[in-house]
Amino acid sequence: MSTDIPPLTGELLGLDLINTRARSGTDSIDRLSTPDGLRMWVALQGERLKEFGGDVLATVSQADLAAIRSVRECASQLVDHVRHGRAPSDANLRELNRTLSAAPVHLELRWVGSSMAAEARRTGSVIADLAAHLAEAVALVLTDPGVSTIRKCEAEDCTMLFLPASSRRRWCAAARCGNRMRVARYYQRHKDS
Ligand SMILES: [Zn+2]
């Protein structure tokens, strides 16, 4: 999977986050290894992360990236445990809870035209805000009633996770792994003939 293949998006946001680091075939890639990578992934999320679009993440440091990757690492381990019905580690839970509490949500009131509007805001730096937003998305995955049905892509060499809407879904994406595996099986079958 080279960088010219777009990241897998459109799953639950927390799963999209985990899937930014994945192995597929012989390639492995980390979509969040550079500030540009993070901005590109945030832009691909569109409405879901719109408050972090535009110039909001214009000055992302390596430490900022490390903070986001740390949420992802924690998410990856938590989801791996919880989807198999196993208790997660205390350290991972503490880390996710700490990230959530570092940028708590509060209502901000504004007078708009002739009436009041109340909007949910987070306290904290932009990165703490983004980290908490993503941690919340991970919390939604972990508490989703379908958490035990989260699957890994059926391609043995692909690590992508998804929550299938239909029990028939086998691949992270047919164009990414389904076709690749069909071709591999075809050659396997015809190897000795
Ligand atoms: Zn796959």
Side-chain angles (χ1 to χ4, degrees):
M1 178 184 21
S2 59
T3 41
D4 47 318
I5 298 174
L8 185 68
T9 54
E11 305 301 327
L12 293 175
L13 180 59
L15 291 180
D16 274 4
L17 173 69
I18 293 171
N19 287 336
T20 58
R21 186 190 51 191
R23 190 161 48 74
S24 193
T26 51
D27 301 319
S28 69
I29 198 164
D30 182 349
R31 306 281 181 180
L32 307 183
S33 61
T34 64
D36 272 348
L38 176 64
R39 284 189 285 268
M40 196 183 300
W41 180 73
V42 164
L44 279 171
Q45 293 296 339
E47 278 294 300
R48 297 206 288 195
L49 292 176
K50 67 175 187 303
E51 58 267 56
F52 302 99
D55 293 334
V56 173
L57 297 174
T59 54
V60 173
S61 68
Q62 284 302 322
D64 293 339
L65 278 176
I68 301 300
R69 282 200 304 265
S70 161
V71 176
R72 179 183 62 187
E73 179 59 31
C74 191
S76 194
Q77 294 186 25
L78 285 166
V79 168
D80 185 49
H81 277 74
V82 173
R83 80 186 180 94
H84 292 113
R86 296 197 307 264
S89 83
D90 286 345
N92 284 331
L93 273 185
R94 265 199 310 276
E95 163 89 11
L96 202 73
N97 281 329
R98 191 191 56 71
T99 307
L100 286 166
S101 64
V105 177
H106 61 94
L107 284 181
E108 188 176 280
L109 287 167
R110 282 188 303 129
W111 182 251
V112 185
S114 57
S115 62
M116 292 300 303
E119 276 182 33
R121 297 251 186 253
R122 283 184 192 276
T123 310
S125 69
V126 171
I127 287 296
D129 185 347
L130 176 59
H133 196 102
L134 293 174
E136 194 173 291
V138 173
L140 290 177
V141 171
L142 293 168
T143 56
D144 191 290
V147 67
S148 64
T149 66
I150 289 172
R151 284 185 196 169
K152 188 190 85 63
C153 176
E154 237 176 73
E156 271 173 35
D157 55 7
C158 176
T159 59
M160 300 278 188
L161 297 178
F162 56 90
L163 182 65
S166 137
S167 59
R168 290 193 307 275
R169 181 174 170 194
R170 301 169 61 193
W171 317 108
C172 59
R176 190 188 297 264
C177 285
N179 296 347
R180 200 164 61 82
M181 288 299 113
R182 269 189 286 277
V183 170
R185 273 199 302 269
Y186 177 86
Y187 282 109
Q188 189 66 32
R189 270 200 308 274
H190 293 79
K191 196 172 60 171
D192 306 317
S193 56

